[in-house]
């Protein structure tokens, strides 16, 4: 479980690194809609938003909080968000 969380965070950060290479300082920021999990698993996303890491990477982030991974999944399927950081499912 912890491994999948780490891999997910690394994946998001990897995408952000790719975006920073393609965005010039004068370019209009890329807008993304991010689904953030309301538990501790969403902490890296919240920290990145509050510390301005997305802005530094040339991204304008609109975020929505979800309490269950399936809520974020459903919002992504419906087109309400672009990226979803989901939590592991409960047995």
């Amino acid at each position: 479980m912890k491994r999948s969380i780490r891999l997910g965070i690394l994946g998001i950060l990897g995408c952000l690194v790719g975006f920073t290479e393609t965005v010039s300082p004068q370019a209009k920021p890329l807008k993304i809609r991010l689904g953030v999990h309301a538990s501790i698993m969403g902490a890296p996303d919240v920290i990145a938003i509050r510390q301005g890491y997305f802005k530094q990477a040339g991204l304008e982030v609109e975020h929505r909080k979800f309490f269950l991974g399936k809520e974020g999944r459903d919002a992504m399927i419906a087109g309400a968000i672009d990226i979803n950081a989901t939590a592991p499912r409960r047995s």
Side-chain angles (χ1 to χ4, degrees):
M1 179 168 72
K2 289 183 180 181
R3 182 178 180 200
S4 63
I5 293 170
R6 289 182 186 143
L7 289 174
I9 292 169
L10 288 174
I12 290 173
L13 292 175
C15 289
L16 292 177
V17 169
F19 284 133
T20 59
E21 294 175 4
T22 60
V23 176
S24 68
Q26 298 153 348
K28 190 174 177 181
L30 177 66
K31 293 182 181 181
I32 59 170
R33 298 168 299 167
L34 176 66
V36 178
H37 200 278
S39 74
I40 191 71
M41 289 170 243
D45 298 322
V46 173
I47 291 168
I49 292 165
R50 290 184 180 173
Q51 294 294 321
Y53 297 148
F54 291 113
K55 287 183 183 180
Q56 291 173 8
L59 299 171
E60 184 178 319
V61 176
E62 174 187 322
H63 66 283
R64 290 179 55 189
K65 187 188 309 184
F66 295 102
F67 292 94
L68 297 172
K70 67 181 182 178
E71 292 173 346
R73 176 205 60 200
D74 293 344
M76 194 167 172
I77 291 170
I81 60 174
D82 302 312
I83 301 171
N84 183 34
T86 61
R89 68 174 190 187
R90 293 183 182 178
S91 300

